[in-house]
Amino acid sequence: MITISFRADCPAGARAIAVPVTAADAGELRLPSYLRQAEGVARAAAAGFTGDAGSIVEVHADIDGTIRRLILVGTGAGNDGDAERAGGALTARLLTSGETGVVVDASGFDAPRRAAFAASLAQAATLRSWRFDAYRTKLPAKSKPTLTAIEIVVGEQVQAAEQAWAPLSAVSEGVAFARALVTEPGNIIYPETFVERCRALEALGVTLEVLDEAAMRELGMGALLGVSQGSEREARVLALRYDGTAGAVEQPTVFVGKGVTFDTGGISLKPGPGMEDMKWDMGGAAAVAGALHGLAGRKAKVHVVGVCGLVENMPDGKAQRPGDVVTTMSGQTVEVLNTDAEGRLVLCDVITWVQSRFKPKTIVDLATLTGAMIVSLGHEHGGIFSNDDALADGLLSAGKAVGEKLWRFPLSEAYDKLIDSPIADMKNIGPREAGSITAAQFIARFVEEGVAWAHLDIAGMVWAAKPSHTYDKGATGYGVRLLDRFVTDRLEA
Ligand code: BES
Ligand code: MN
Ligand code: ZN
């Protein structure tokens, strides 16, 4: 990721310079005084520039005797979302441009909002600059990132900007952590190595608790173990506990993530084309780990536990069969009609364990649970299902605030009935219709009375085919900022 710094004035020396311009100011462009020589060139190039957030005008101009790249970047109405669009667009433009640094002169921005504006711009810049080139040994020089630093000029607001930036920086690191886990292939990240990566969180004050398969057998997690039994890799349940309240808050809020490190479908094998996507079937678990990384990194005054159900879903001679009946930790039995509906089998046992182990009042689970979710919402919203309106509203508004949007779906007895089984307490699939809802109803059967629970089906959100202002193609880190904002608004406020 690029380095961010804030300064009072524009540093001397040849560098690219960017000037944020709001829609209101775009018509009559005025540049800071040290750019006066360049104003004519910039004005000519900016004919038609409306200052829309993220729009860019780029010129080369003489600034104090050196030719420099001068960029006008539109910031629309100048709110946080606009600042993100500007920061992301600027970074995308310069990332592999040959420029190693850019100065963003925000000193002309309204003083009371300048620090927040600069911090939001910085956050989008760090998020947009994240890439994963670890396995690209022959990357041509012109495709390599060159941009390493952004200096943001904020006049007398340096301290305020640094203060606004510190927590956002921690959250960006959490997002980066999640994206790396999601991007790594299934031969590198499997249950045990996922846990090993998360040991990095110990340095931030997070404590790890790990269940191996023997411990899970002892607890009676027959559904989770059934999924794992066709794999050579052992399953793990990983609990990441962060208590920033020094024991003052006894019952933690719990986040649960589906961590299927590779989903072949098992004996109900998936078709070959596109199966490689199922390396990111642990995107829920990655979001949970990334959120804990961010919360601990910014020293949030909250007590949160993130629990990842980590397994690999493989077909082999020991794999579970369609029709098998398994007994969950809750004692309820499940007829496994389709071994590819494995996420709910993992989550049900993790959720049962979490309730006995941590006694939470609130559980939020995140899972790439159903392809049907992508049919419903595409890649614009994650789906949310909840037994508690206040919890759902909190997550919906957090998602809106950070641009990780959610859309709420119904739960009801009529949907619940669709997963009754003639041979066991329930089956792990419903009919073809309402596939995301019956999956949520399955999980709901394991949530105990009095627990506020929300399930986020993020199947369409973990991986992007096209870039946005906060990510390139590939892993998005969806969920990390959403959970962080939810914690800020509902637990820290
Ligand atoms: N991990 C998949 C869901 C998924 C599919 C996520 C595509 C992202 C992209 C899940 O385990 C699965 O296979 N679900 C099945 C359920 C079905 C068998 C009831 C599905 O969606 O097809
Ligand atoms: Mn599956
Ligand atoms: Zn899956």
Side-chain angles (χ1 to χ4, degrees):
M1 269 190 313
I2 44 182
T3 342
I4 301 290
S5 55
F6 301 95
R7 351 183 3 128
D9 338 275
C10 186
R15 277 189 194 73
I17 295 188
V19 182
V21 181
T22 62
D25 294 339
E28 229 171 300
L29 192 62
R30 303 215 357 116
L31 297 180
S33 55
Y34 65 94
L35 296 174
R36 280 290 143 76
Q37 277 171 286
E39 207 166 60
V41 180
R43 280 197 171 157
F49 176 62
T50 58
D52 278 357
S55 63
I56 279 182
V57 171
E58 183 178 326
V59 295
H60 282 81
D62 185 338
I63 298 165
D64 293 336
T66 356
I67 300 295
R68 295 187 187 182
R69 195 189 299 250
L70 172 63
I71 292 175
L72 308 177
V73 56
T75 59
N79 60 39
D80 290 351
D82 292 331
E84 286 190 19
R85 286 188 182 278
L90 181 66
T91 305
R93 175 64 69 104
L94 294 180
L95 195 57
T96 58
S97 65
E99 301 283 0
T100 55
V102 61
V103 174
V104 179
D105 192 338
S107 59
F109 199 86
D110 257 4
R113 288 248 325 118
R114 195 185 303 151
F117 172 85
S120 287
L121 186 144
Q123 187 176 33
T126 58
L127 291 173
R128 185 61 184 79
S129 73
W130 186 87
R131 333 199 331 159
F132 190 91
D133 292 329
Y135 304 125
R136 305 183 51 154
T137 68
K138 296 184 177 169
L139 197 63
K142 68 171 179 13
S143 315
K144 285 194 180 144
T146 55
L147 189 71
T148 57
I150 300 187
E151 295 173 283
I152 307 180
V153 180
V154 290
E156 75 289 359
Q157 300 284 317
V158 171
Q159 231 196 333
E162 283 169 350
Q163 268 170 24
W165 165 237
L168 298 187
S169 167
V171 175
S172 285
E173 281 171 29
V175 173
F177 185 75
R179 286 178 184 171
L181 283 168
V182 165
T183 310
E184 289 282 13
N187 63 328
I188 303 294
I189 287 293
Y190 46 89
E192 285 169 82
T193 53
F194 188 109
V195 171
E196 286 321 307
R197 286 259 174 137
C198 287
R199 297 232 176 259
L201 274 70
E202 285 175 331
L204 302 171
V206 173
T207 50
L208 276 67
E209 178 176 349
V210 184
L211 305 181
D212 61 13
E213 289 196 351
M216 289 185 239
R217 209 159 288 121
E218 193 74 22
L219 289 160
M221 295 188 174
L224 190 158
L225 288 168
V227 175
S228 182
Q229 89 193 22
S231 170
E232 291 291 321
R233 311 284 195 198
E234 262 212 37
R236 292 286 184 269
V237 172
L238 167 65
L240 301 161
R241 185 200 284 263
Y242 168 71
D243 187 359
T245 74
V249 176
E250 273 179 38
Q251 285 169 292
T253 297
V254 172
F255 301 141
V256 170
K258 169 179 172 181
V260 174
T261 58
F262 197 84
D263 180 12
T264 65
I267 296 300
S268 310
L269 194 64
K270 286 181 181 298
M275 199 199 277
E276 65 279 4
D277 283 350
M278 287 299 106
K279 73 173 182 179
W280 48 260
D281 207 17
M282 32 59 72
V288 166
L292 268 287
H293 197 299
L295 291 170
R298 70 177 179 79
K299 301 190 164 59
K301 296 211 166 14
V302 293
H303 186 188
V304 174
V305 177
V307 184
C308 303
L310 303 165
V311 303
E312 187 181 52
N313 189 20
M314 297 287 270
D316 86 346
K318 297 194 296 296
Q320 73 178 340
R321 292 151 289 262
D324 281 4
V325 174
V326 295
T327 301
T328 65
M329 181 179 168
S330 74
Q332 302 179 87
T333 55
V334 180
E335 181 188 15
V336 180
L337 284 179
N338 190 319
T339 65
D340 196 13
E342 84 297 341
R344 63 201 78 180
L345 297 171
V346 174
L347 290 174
C348 71
D349 276 340
V350 173
I351 285 176
T352 299
W353 179 67
V354 150
Q355 290 169 116
S356 75
R357 175 73 183 83
F358 300 109
K359 309 273 184 290
K361 290 193 201 116
T362 304
I363 299 176
V364 180
D365 80 71
L366 291 85
T368 49
L369 204 64
T370 63
M373 198 73 254
I374 310 178
V375 176
S376 301
L377 294 176
H379 307 285
E380 302 305 322
H381 291 80
I384 176 169
F385 306 75
S386 183
N387 63 3
D388 186 285
D389 291 344
L391 176 60
D393 288 345
L395 290 159
L396 283 160
S397 68
K400 216 174 253 173
V402 300
E404 295 185 346
K405 286 170 290 176
L406 290 168
W407 194 260
R408 191 168 177 187
F409 282 74
L411 293 167
S412 80
E413 257 175 58
Y415 289 116
D416 176 72
K417 254 188 18 215
L418 299 175
I419 53 170
D420 285 340
S421 155
I423 184 176
D425 296 333
M426 70 199 87
K427 50 191 182 183
N428 77 329
I429 54 168
R432 215 175 62 86
E433 300 86 356
S436 305
I437 303 177
T438 49
Q441 293 289 172
F442 184 98
I443 302 170
R445 290 192 180 201
F446 298 85
V447 176
E448 290 157 20
E449 196 64 40
V451 175
W453 158 75
H455 157 62
L456 276 48
D457 190 337
I458 62 171
M461 307 310 288
V462 162
W463 195 263
K466 47 181 205 298
S468 91
H469 57 288
T470 47
Y471 49 78
D472 200 344
K473 285 184 294 207
T476 62
Y478 181 96
V480 174
R481 296 181 68 197
L482 180 126
L483 290 177
D484 186 78
R485 186 57 171 254
F486 170 76
V487 168
T488 301
D489 292 350
R490 299 287 155 144
L491 304 182
E492 291 178 289

